[in-house]
Amino acid sequence: MLKIISLLLLFALGQERTFACDDLVGQSGRAAPVREWWQSAQFYQIYPRSFMDSNGDGIGDLAGITSRLSYLKELGVTAVWLSPIYTSPMADFGYDIADFFDIQPEYGTLDDFDKLVQEANRLGLKVILDFVPNHSSDENDWFKKSVRRERGYEDYYMWHDGYKNEQGERVPPNNWLQAFRGSAWEWNEERQQYYLHQFAVKQPDLNYRNPAVVAQMKRVLTYWLDRGVSGFRVDAVPWCFEVLPDETGRYPDEPKSGYTDDPDDSSYLLHIYTQDLPETVDMVYQWRKLLDDYQRIHGGDRRVLLTEAWSPLDYVMKFYGNRTTKGAQMPFNFQFIVGGNGDKNNTNLPATGFAKIISSWLDKMPSGQVANWVMGNHDQRRVGSRYGEERIDTMNMLQMFLPGVSITYMGEEIGMTDLDISWEDSRDPAACNSNANIYEQFTRDPARTPFQWSSSANAGFSTNATTWLPINPNYVTVNVETEKAATKSHLTIYNQLVELRKSRTLQEGGTSYAAVGENVLAIKRSLQNEKTYLLLANVLDTDATADVTSVLRVSGNFKTKISNMISTRKEGDTVSADSVSLRPYEAIIVESD
Ligand SMILES: *[C@@H]1O[C@H](CO)[C@@H](O)[C@H](O)[C@H]1NC(C)=O
Ligand SMILES: *[C@@H]1O[C@H](CO)[C@@H](O)[C@H](O)[C@H]1NC(C)=O
Ligand SMILES: *[C@@H]1O[C@H](CO)[C@@H](O)[C@H](O)[C@H]1NC(C)=O
Ligand SMILES: CC(=O)N[C@H]1CO[C@H](CO)[C@@H](O)[C@@H]1O
Ligand SMILES: [Ca+2]
Ligand SMILES: [Ca+2]
């Protein structure tokens, strides 16, 4: 706590915080380091079910994505990450995989996938697939074979007899909980044993203590590399390994967290035996080695790993690798999601809060590594709903202006917002496993509604008036077509940011930032012999005037380059660094002469 207060004070006093990835700044006079394609890339996450429906069944598909790749190209995207497209009974919308080597029929065929990759490559876009290592579907052949104890598959999953209680009733091996409410153990009648599922009942955990499983999952990676993908975003990494049982075969209970009284809620327990194990980090290093070996043999650009972990930062940073072994290039930085207010509602977050979020990652990141910025995804409230609609452009500015990799969830570029979904229309298991009174706490549906392409019927997403989730009625104004045609819109601002991002300053420059009072977040990007850019954002609903000369070590006049929807400043308008006045929620990017 003390540390946090002193940190805030530091910002409030306008102390400068400077981050210069020493590899990237030319000041030391060293030759410019070799830069790889991903280091300042723009990643774009597609939730395939909701992106574009090509055949009128109300569900997005691969041919739909292929038909819209040119939009992504125009948007400056470097690499497209597709949420799971593999064969799946869709108990968790593709995160329950029945066949890791084939495509979900609703989404298309392997042929459609090859066409997608081919067209993407033609446009210079890279394709990244979601890799879901922790579990398969219970409808996967591996699981069926394991249930039957077929040779080679006996220990593919985490099986256990369980115990008898005093009444002689059968009880699960221990108190572990699944992420979607209730016990993590499910009785299987046929095999007469429990199996572990850290997610839904239909998502049995693979047994990573079994070398055959480790080898099988590496085969999955190679298979898709052979089909032309440029890397993987690894789902739910921290869950891969569980603690070993004791000599009697017993897995220890997890301690209560004290966070909630609801014994079915996964946060009821501290997951010290089922998440964040060191073996999992080593597994990621092995996958990185596989990718590097693949590149050595087959050539082409570097293949990349992006890892999803909501763990404590000290653990997350381990995924980058250590002194002797390389890890993931991009362990996801979720600080803009988990930082700020504990309830994730950051609509009132002051400038000091923003500065703290930025420093939380940059301060911890090992030197020589590249930062990345994730503002949202299909599991979170949309940015406009978490940070407030007035700050949509500010968040896109931050995403594109901060050093390193940007990762945009589809629709954030046009400012899509959450849609409240009724209990009847709910599809997410996290909601459906609860009840009509409490599902809104758990549901992930509001951020998964179909993409809004135009103001025509069904937002141009589908020819079918019934779509798998309802379309947000705000599509009439919030859509690609309308925003593209406007003089100024979330989308035109995003496009300006894309252009600015191509500058050497943003690609390679150093970074310093400060909170000036509670209102103004000020960030400088600079590089010797290049233009200096400042992002100046009033993040609160009151007027503010700031002198950023000492905190950012700049002086004189700057010219307005980009301004948000709220700003009335025009391109070229002069801004004096010693007196920057900003209206409520106004955000601008200015350049030096
Ligand atoms: C339209 O969508 C509904 C619900 O998703 C589906 O039952 C129906 O078959 C679809 N119509 C067509 C023409 O595919
Ligand atoms: C780095 O990680 C590898 C693989 O987990 C391990 O074997 C090695 O000891 C670690 N090296 C250092 C310097 O920590
Ligand atoms: C967040 O908080 C603000 C102000 O307290 C409130 O108006 C808004 O509805 C909240 N948003 C969400 C998504 O809970
Ligand atoms: C953001 C994300 O991909 N979340 C996924 C994490 O993993 C679980 C289980 O595979 C999914 O339910 C989430 O959607
Ligand atoms: Ca379809
Ligand atoms: Ca596991």
Side-chain angles (χ1 to χ4, degrees):
M1 192 61 203
L2 243 175
K3 194 172 167 228
I4 291 174
I5 289 171
S6 62
L7 191 73
L8 286 178
L9 263 175
L10 218 93
F11 287 122
L13 292 172
Q15 181 80 34
E16 185 187 21
R17 322 255 321 154
T18 301
F19 294 94
C21 278
D22 37 302
D23 282 333
L24 307 184
V25 180
Q27 277 146 350
S28 63
R30 274 177 293 147
V34 178
R35 290 178 56 81
E36 297 187 6
W37 68 269
W38 57 271
Q39 292 187 343
S40 55
Q42 227 181 295
F43 285 77
Y44 187 88
Q45 180 194 356
I46 289 184
Y47 195 66
R49 223 177 162 71
S50 292
F51 194 57
M52 182 65 204
D53 174 19
S54 72
N55 63 351
D57 65 355
I59 298 169
D61 45 54
L62 295 184
I65 296 172
T66 308
S67 74
R68 296 301 162 119
L69 288 172
S70 55
Y71 166 70
L72 300 180
K73 183 64 189 173
E74 269 173 51
L75 202 61
V77 169
T78 324
V80 181
W81 146 37
L82 306 179
S83 284
I85 52 172
Y86 317 101
T87 317
S88 165
M90 293 287 155
D92 189 20
F93 294 108
Y95 286 96
D96 50 323
I97 299 171
D99 186 349
F100 283 83
F101 303 101
D102 207 347
I103 303 290
Q104 169 70 356
E106 285 171 315
Y107 295 161
T109 61
L110 282 169
D111 201 37
D112 291 325
F113 179 76
D114 293 342
K115 283 198 192 115
L116 190 161
V117 172
Q118 207 178 8
E119 177 62 8
N121 289 346
R122 196 183 66 78
L123 292 169
L125 293 168
K126 294 185 190 301
V127 177
I128 307 289
L129 285 185
D130 219 307
F131 174 51
V132 187
N134 179 63
H135 43 265
S136 74
S137 164
D138 63 344
E139 297 180 30
N140 194 302
D141 273 341
W142 305 337
F143 188 73
K144 293 180 192 164
K145 289 177 178 170
S146 195
V147 166
R148 297 193 293 263
R149 297 181 198 261
E150 279 187 28
R151 189 194 296 263
Y153 291 90
E154 301 94 327
D155 299 323
Y156 240 63
Y157 294 84
M158 306 281 292
W159 294 103
H160 199 282
D161 290 336
Y163 298 98
K164 289 270 162 71
N165 67 11
E166 279 140 33
Q167 286 78 44
E169 298 154 346
R170 195 165 35 229
V171 292
N174 65 13
N175 72 344
W176 292 354
L177 291 167
Q178 57 159 308
F180 300 142
R181 300 182 62 76
S183 173
W185 297 99
E186 180 76 4
W187 179 252
N188 182 274
E189 216 29 66
E190 189 175 343
R191 177 153 162 157
Q192 290 287 301
Q193 274 189 313
Y194 286 95
Y195 66 85
L196 179 75
H197 59 93
Q198 293 221 54
F199 291 88
V201 171
K202 286 183 70 65
Q203 292 168 298
D205 273 50
L206 287 156
N207 177 11
Y208 271 83
R209 306 274 176 195
N210 179 349
V213 168
V214 171
Q216 179 71 276
M217 296 314 278
K218 288 183 177 170
R219 226 168 278 140
V220 170
L221 294 176
T222 307
Y223 176 84
W224 293 104
L225 288 170
D226 284 344
R227 290 200 107 93
V229 309
S230 297
F232 300 91
R233 175 273 186 184
V234 192
D235 176 67
V237 189
W239 282 267
C240 283
F241 281 85
E242 293 76 24
V243 76
L244 282 165
D246 69 15
E247 57 287 354
T248 70
R250 185 180 276 277
Y251 289 105
D253 276 348
E254 287 187 331
K256 289 191 187 110
S257 67
Y259 298 151
T260 167
D261 297 332
D262 178 353
D264 284 336
D265 190 325
S266 128
S267 64
Y268 186 68
L269 299 177
L270 288 176
H271 303 294
I272 58 173
Y273 299 128
T274 54
Q275 288 181 34
D276 303 344
L277 269 69
E279 291 91 327
T280 302
V281 176
D282 182 63
M283 196 68 249
V284 169
Y285 296 176
Q286 291 185 36
W287 292 328
R288 169 66 189 267
K289 182 169 183 310
L290 184 149
L291 262 55
D292 284 354
D293 289 348
Y294 191 94
Q295 187 201 2
R296 228 180 343 270
I297 296 164
H298 299 272
D301 289 343
R302 173 80 65 195
R303 313 302 195 280
V304 294
L305 277 183
L306 305 85
T307 51
E308 183 205 25
W310 300 87
S311 312
L313 273 182
D314 287 327
Y315 183 76
V316 173
M317 292 298 169
K318 293 196 169 118
F319 288 117
Y320 270 124
N322 64 25
R323 237 169 295 142
T324 54
T325 317
K326 285 184 176 146
Q329 289 93 340
M330 288 156 272
F332 275 166
N333 168 6
F334 290 129
Q335 293 306 298
F336 273 103
I337 298 174
V338 300
N341 298 329
D343 61 359
K344 292 191 187 170
N345 183 342
N346 283 332
T347 48
N348 294 323
L349 193 71
T352 43
F354 280 86
K356 207 174 115 229
I357 286 175
I358 296 168
S359 73
S360 65
W361 189 267
L362 294 180
D363 283 358
K364 278 246 158 81
M365 186 173 74
S367 71
Q369 300 292 354
V370 175
N372 69 82
W373 307 94
V374 183
M375 299 301 179
N377 61 40
H378 63 278
D379 279 351
Q380 305 299 327
R381 299 277 158 177
R382 281 198 173 270
V383 169
S385 303
R386 261 184 297 121
Y387 277 88
E389 294 189 30
E390 301 86 352
R391 304 204 284 207
I392 287 174
D393 300 318
T394 303
M395 296 303 290
N396 283 335
M397 285 176 171
L398 283 169
Q399 165 109 70
M400 304 292 274
F401 195 76
L402 286 166
V405 176
S406 79
I407 301 157
T408 296
Y409 176 50
M410 65 179 211
E412 296 298 357
E413 73 277 20
I414 54 171
M416 281 178 67
T417 47
D418 279 1
L419 175 66
D420 287 335
I421 307 283
S422 69
W423 170 245
E424 290 69 33
D425 283 340
S426 288
R427 296 286 176 269
D428 178 16
C432 300
N433 287 354
S434 69
N435 63 59
N437 298 322
I438 58 169
Y439 78 98
E440 283 179 303
Q441 277 173 254
F442 306 107
T443 184
R444 299 170 295 175
D445 288 329
R448 297 178 176 183
T449 60
F451 193 84
Q452 295 163 203
W453 292 102
S454 71
S455 59
S456 49
N458 316 312
F461 164 73
S462 177
T463 53
N464 194 328
T466 318
T467 50
W468 81 281
L469 277 178
I471 292 168
N472 193 324
N474 73 7
Y475 81 87
V476 184
T477 51
V478 181
N479 68 70
V480 171
E481 195 184 62
T482 305
E483 293 192 28
K484 215 189 244 181
T487 339
K488 193 179 190 183
S489 66
H490 296 311
L491 184 57
T492 63
I493 293 167
Y494 191 93
N495 282 327
Q496 286 181 294
L497 293 166
V498 171
E499 279 309 305
L500 181 64
R501 224 179 131 78
K502 294 176 184 160
S503 65
R504 278 195 66 211
T505 305
L506 261 66
Q507 295 271 312
E508 303 168 36
T511 308
S512 41
Y513 59 92
V516 186
E518 294 294 273
N519 280 72
V520 178
L521 176 65
I523 307 178
K524 175 175 82 170
R525 299 294 315 275
S526 59
L527 184 67
Q528 234 174 19
N529 303 322
E530 298 286 334
K531 279 194 170 149
T532 295
Y533 295 97
L534 312 181
L535 166 53
L536 304 164
N538 181 357
V539 298
L540 296 179
D541 63 357
T542 49
D543 286 307
T545 302
D547 173 356
V548 300
T549 51
S550 66
V551 292
L552 295 185
R553 293 209 203 128
V554 291
S555 60
N557 286 341
F558 285 76
K559 280 201 310 252
T560 305
K561 180 88 181 154
I562 304 176
S563 61
N564 70 347
M565 291 294 282
I566 282 151
S567 178
T568 53
R569 285 189 162 92
K570 302 242 165 350
E571 194 166 339
D573 280 1
T574 302
V575 173
S576 171
D578 60 6
S579 174
V580 185
S581 56
L582 296 164
R583 309 171 57 191
Y585 297 120
E586 181 174 6
I588 54 176
I589 291 175
V590 299
E591 67 180 355
S592 60
D593 282 327

